[in-house]
């Protein structure tokens, strides 16, 4: 919904920066991109509406060109999709800062060596981190670069729009990686394993779903209810 709102805000701002120029094609909406600012507002409205449609249809998660192996987002993505990136970065940062101010952690250890968090999970205090590097990091964002890529042995990116569920294939991919690498798993083939971090943007939706799947896949629970 927030990207629908961004699109509408961009359209509503047009009368503030445009002089009405009625045309036979759009007589009921006489505001046209005659200035750079107006063009940016139009572009923002169209782009964020298309992304909102992608959210609804659960398609286009790779639109932002995130490298699923390196966890990076190229500069070109930030240039092309700046009307999406800028408010998303600001919203997530402010939301996280406010949450931390109210006692919400960047990430939480829900089971021994099993962590669930948000986009800033890499900021958990060093004293709370496992002594070794993360054995597995599962990143469920399509909109943010991975900040712990240098501290993890196995990186899995299953890009999903914020607020939408992963596909069955991605759930299985992530759960299998957790089962193979988590120290607490019964399914890692006798390996010692290590600590696992599962994160999305806010640590509430996508990451919790995958955490449940990983715990069940690892044999530590019979189903998601347990």
């Amino acid at each position: 919904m927030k990207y629908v709102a961004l699109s509408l805000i961009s359209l509503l701002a047009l009368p503030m920066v445009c002089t009405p120029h009625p045309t036979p094609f759009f007589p009921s909406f006489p505001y046209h991109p005659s200035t750079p600012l107006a063009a940016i507002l139009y572009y923002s409205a169209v782009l964020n509406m298309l992304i909102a449609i992608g959210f609804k249809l659960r398609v286009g998660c790779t639109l932002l060109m995130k490298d699923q192996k390196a966890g990076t987002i190229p500069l070109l993505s930030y240039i092309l999709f700046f009307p999406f990136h800028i408010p998303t970065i600001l919203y997530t940062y402010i939301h996280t800062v406010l949450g931390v101010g109210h006692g919400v952690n960047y990430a939480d250890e829900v089971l021994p060596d099993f962590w669930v968090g948000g986009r800033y999970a890499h900021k958990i205090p060093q004293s709370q981190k496992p002594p070794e590097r993360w054995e597995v990091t599962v990143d469920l964002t399509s909109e943010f670069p991975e900040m712990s890529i240098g501290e993890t042995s196995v990186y899995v990116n299953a890009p999903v729009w914020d607020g939408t569920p992963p596909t069955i294939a991605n759930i299985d991919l992530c759960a299998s990686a957790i089962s193979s690498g988590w120290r607490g798993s019964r399914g890692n083939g006798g390996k010692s394993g290590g600590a696992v971090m599962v994160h999305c943007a806010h640590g509430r939706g996508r990451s919790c779903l995958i955490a449940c799947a990983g715990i069940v896949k690892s044999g530590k629970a019979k189903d998601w209810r347990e």
Side-chain angles (χ1 to χ4, degrees):
M1 286 299 295
K2 58 179 175 282
Y3 296 107
V4 174
L6 279 172
S7 180
L8 293 176
I9 289 170
S10 298
L11 287 176
L12 291 173
L14 280 170
M16 302 178 188
V17 299
C18 293
T19 302
H21 294 289
T23 69
F25 302 103
F26 300 102
S28 61
F29 192 79
Y31 303 103
H32 306 291
S34 55
T35 66
L37 181 55
I40 288 172
L41 289 173
Y42 262 100
Y43 179 55
S44 174
V46 172
L47 176 64
N48 283 302
M49 185 57 70
L50 289 174
I51 288 176
I53 293 171
F55 271 55
K56 186 66 176 178
L57 299 179
R58 302 178 186 176
V59 297
C61 296
T62 58
L63 174 69
L64 302 177
M65 301 183 283
K66 182 171 181 174
D67 188 323
Q68 291 182 247
K69 292 183 178 180
T72 56
I73 295 179
L75 178 61
L76 180 61
S77 176
Y78 290 108
I79 294 172
L80 290 178
F81 306 120
F82 71 91
F84 169 84
H85 281 299
I86 292 174
T88 299
I89 291 169
L90 289 175
Y91 171 80
T92 304
Y93 176 76
I94 293 170
H95 185 276
T96 302
V97 169
L98 292 175
V100 170
H102 286 83
V104 178
N105 297 323
Y106 293 115
D108 291 292
E109 191 175 19
V110 297
L111 287 172
D113 293 317
F114 196 116
W115 292 74
V116 178
R119 182 260 187 277
Y120 292 98
H122 63 285
K123 287 193 172 186
I124 58 176
Q126 194 65 38
S127 60
Q128 296 179 15
K129 288 184 178 180
E132 71 279 7
R133 59 197 282 121
W134 300 107
E135 182 65 26
V136 179
T137 294
V138 176
D139 171 14
L140 298 161
T141 68
S142 61
E143 67 272 41
F144 295 112
E146 176 54 51
M147 304 305 292
S148 298
I149 194 71
E151 301 176 4
T152 186
S153 298
V154 177
Y155 172 64
V156 179
N157 176 228
V160 184
W161 290 123
D162 186 14
T164 62
T167 63
I168 297 298
N170 276 341
I171 292 173
D172 187 60
L173 171 69
C174 297
S176 295
I178 293 168
S179 178
S180 298
W182 179 32
R183 183 179 287 120
S185 173
R186 297 172 184 170
N188 60 12
K191 298 178 183 178
S192 59
V196 169
M197 170 63 77
V198 180
H199 78 85
C200 54
H202 301 287
R204 296 180 178 180
R206 295 168 282 184
S207 56
C208 293
L209 187 155
I210 293 300
C212 288
I215 291 168
V216 172
K217 183 84 170 181
S218 299
K220 301 295 284 187
K222 294 179 181 178
D223 56 35
W224 64 271
R225 296 179 183 85
E226 187 178 340

